Amino acid sequence: MVETNPPTPGQVPPPPQAPPLFHPPVVGSGAVHPPNEQLPHLQFCVHSNPSWGEALILAFQHYIVMLGTIVMLATLLVPLMGGNNGDKARIIQTFLFMSGINTLLQTLIGTRLPTVMNASFAFVIPVTSIINDFSSREYDDEHERFVHTIRAIQGALIVSSFLNIIIGYSKAWGNFSRFFSPVVIVPVVCVVGLGLFERGFPQVGKCVEIGLPMLILLVFLQQYMKHIHHRTYFWFERFALLLCIVVIWAFAAILTAGGAYNHVSVKTKQNCRTDRSHLMSSAPWIRIPYPFQWGAPIFTASHVFGMMGAVLVSAVESTGAHYAAARLAGATPPPAHVLSRSIGLQGIGMLLEGIFGAAAGSSASIENVGLLGLTRVGSRRVVEISTGFMIFFSIFGKFGAFFASIPFPIFAAMYCVLFGIVAAVGISFIQFANNNSMRNLYILGLALFLGLSIPQYFSEFRTSAGHGPANTNAGWFNDILNSFFSSAPFVAMLVGTLLDNTLEARNAAERGLPWWVPFQNRKGDVRNDEFYGFPIRVHEMIPTRYLR
């Protein structure tokens, strides 16, 4: 035991110091990497901008990346609704148009983060229920069934969108987010990327001679070829994705023209051939989506309540995407009031989608968040420019249909990389909490595992039985439960938040709260207003009481 000298009379003993949150390593423990609130290798953060020429190419790259989800969703839903190729082209145009509008609104007066709003697969379950309800009725032709179905989807979207508007602008969502900590955000953001694995290599495998070369070429060019010469570094790091798409798409066209797929199964033709989308022939040259283009909406209570489950799931998924985008764009974690206004604005976007006749609602695009990390450019301006491409190609249909005819396995190969980046960014949040705490490891492990396992169970059950595990006489109740537990981010957020706020922690630092809490308050960190403040003109036009 070491003796200490007592203080001399009249001398005030020094105040006890709190132990450091991050302890220095003992000798021989190796190098230690201190926590980084902002990723050090980003070239452009949320409010810094590349040159206009570079920004245009990067914006077009964002457009191409988000296009895959729209085409996949329209290809899945429109045939089930009874629509033809012309109807599919119009649905894709409407999706694109609304994505452009909603993305622009979010970057201006929503989160102010470079996130793209895109059609969401979270709405497949309630939309499928609506399709099944109308499939049992008699119509003169399939197109009439399509029109009635899309009108019912419109009505459900219009009414259910008010759920997000209410929980957003009433600040309920922001107040709920105050229960989060880095321990919760890690599994949520991780499964935002990992939960979409079915859109990755399983889709690549449907045409492996196209998808696999795309995946290998993208990794090789973007990560290895850029080091060959200093002049190639810039081009391969920023634009390797576009180059790979051009090369593999041309390769697929050569295989199609050479007759490689003349004597294969129908499914292989649909996934491999470059002439199977039928979008070029069916898309109009010029067409502007307009309100109620399919007719007056059909309002049904059961459809509305069923859609509310997907609306809430989209809010959860967007929240996880916003945290990942903030990290990849060099911004601080979004404060509670920013999350509230973003979810409220997302509800307004869904209201507009219902009015304009989209076949599903929207959420933040995970693949575009991953693109921020792939290019190391988190500029808000780039995403705002990309909305111009979305709106332009939604109006000039033939041009948009040309890019929409890219085979699915090419998009899937991109997703393997982009979703993986988002999942890895989620892991980086654990540096702000105690990653040696068994309590934290228990929460992380259970939230991650259940976040992947429960949705997988619901998916396999639906595939084998034709319906979800929730199968009561109340169809709307089934849609809500099946939507909730088919979403990996929803399950991870539910489990993580519950455990992190009920399991006893030794101190707040174990959960990472000393670092986390200041960012959740409007004035808690001086950088909050720097990243998330409104443009000056908005302050002049909107009274301050509506911006708090």
Side-chain angles (χ1 to χ4, degrees), residues 332-333 335 518-519 521-522 524-533:
T332 56
F519 296 121
N521 301 317
R522 181 184 293 271
D525 191 279
V526 294
R527 291 168 292 180
N528 281 354
D529 191 61
E530 173 188 355
F531 294 124
Y532 301 105

Side-chain angles (χ1 to χ4, degrees), residues 252-265:
I254 292 173
L255 291 179
T256 301
Y261 303 116
N262 290 345
H263 305 289
V264 296
S265 65

Side-chain angles (χ1 to χ4, degrees), residues 427-513:
I427 298 174
S428 69
F429 280 96
I430 194 58
Q431 65 185 310
F432 306 112
N434 185 350
N435 56 7
N436 291 316
S437 165
M438 284 305 301
R439 170 196 180 273
N440 291 350
L441 295 178
Y442 180 88
I443 296 172
L444 294 177
L446 192 58
L448 277 171
F449 186 83
L450 292 181
L452 295 174
S453 184
I454 292 178
Q456 180 67 16
Y457 164 72
F458 272 68
S459 176
E460 292 180 357
F461 193 102
R462 191 181 310 110
T463 301
S464 60
H467 56 79
N471 188 33
T472 66
N473 293 328
W476 60 271
F477 180 75
N478 301 336
D479 289 344
I480 291 176
L481 285 186
N482 290 327
S483 295
F484 282 171
F485 294 103
S486 295
S487 169
F490 182 91
V491 175
M493 182 176 288
L494 179 66
V495 175
T497 305
L498 178 64
L499 293 178
D500 188 48
N501 288 274
T502 55
L503 294 183
E504 184 179 0
R506 288 178 295 179
N507 48 53
E510 185 178 13
R511 300 173 60 197
L513 294 181

Side-chain angles (χ1 to χ4, degrees), residues 129-387:
S129 294
I130 296 175
I131 293 173
N132 293 336
D133 284 349
F134 282 87
S135 297
S136 59
R137 306 179 188 182
E138 294 184 0
Y139 298 96
D140 294 335
D141 54 42
E142 284 291 272
H143 182 71
E144 184 180 359
R145 179 169 74 88
F146 167 80
V147 172
H148 279 78
T149 304
I150 193 69
R151 288 167 57 195
I153 296 172
Q154 279 186 262
L157 266 179
I158 289 173
V159 180
S160 62
S161 66
F162 284 94
L163 175 62
N164 274 7
I165 295 175
I166 292 172
I167 66 175
Y169 289 117
S170 68
K171 301 182 181 180
W173 192 256
N175 292 332
F176 171 67
S177 71
R178 296 184 187 278
F179 290 99
F180 299 165
S181 74
V183 180
V184 177
I185 295 302
V186 170
V188 171
V189 177
C190 278
V191 299
V192 161
L194 296 178
L196 300 173
F197 66 90
E198 290 184 352
R199 290 162 57 189
F201 203 84
Q203 297 295 325
V204 171
K206 291 182 178 179
C207 189
V208 70
E209 62 268 29
I210 293 176
L212 190 58
M214 175 68 187
L215 176 59
I216 295 174
L217 186 64
L218 177 58
V219 175
F220 181 72
L221 289 184
Q222 215 268 340
Q223 294 297 324
Y224 294 98
M225 286 292 290
K226 67 181 182 182
H227 297 292
I228 291 179
H229 193 274
H230 68 276
R231 292 185 179 179
T232 63
Y233 188 95
F234 168 80
W235 292 101
F236 284 137
E237 183 178 62
R238 302 282 172 83
F239 310 120
L241 187 62
L242 282 180
L243 178 61
C244 292
I245 291 174
V246 171
V247 172
I248 302 301
W249 193 10
F251 175 63
I254 292 173
L255 291 179
T256 301
Y261 303 116
N262 290 345
H263 305 289
V264 296
S265 65
V266 175
K267 182 177 292 186
T268 301
K269 290 180 180 180
Q270 292 175 343
N271 288 284
C272 297
R273 295 184 67 96
T274 58
D275 57 358
R276 284 289 170 169
S277 64
H278 305 292
L279 293 175
M280 287 292 295
S281 59
S282 55
W285 279 102
I286 299 177
R287 181 180 175 277
I288 302 176
Y290 56 91
F292 307 115
Q293 57 183 316
W294 311 106
I298 299 175
F299 299 98
T300 306
S302 60
H303 296 162
V304 170
F305 285 112
M307 190 72 74
M308 284 184 178
V311 167
L312 191 57
V313 166
S314 72
V316 173
E317 295 179 350
S318 293
T319 299
H322 292 326
Y323 279 112
R327 186 111 177 97
L328 289 170
T332 56
H337 71 280
V338 172
L339 291 177
S340 284
R341 78 190 186 202
S342 71
I343 298 305
L345 188 61
Q346 183 175 332
I348 292 178
M350 290 180 193
L351 175 62
L352 293 175
E353 287 164 347
I355 292 174
F356 277 80
S362 60
S363 63
S365 172
I366 309 302
E367 51 268 35
N368 289 88
V369 173
L371 187 59
L372 302 178
L374 186 70
T375 60
R376 302 185 185 183
V377 177
S379 171
R380 183 191 300 124
R381 176 184 292 176
V382 168
V383 172
E384 289 174 341
I385 294 174
S386 73
T387 63

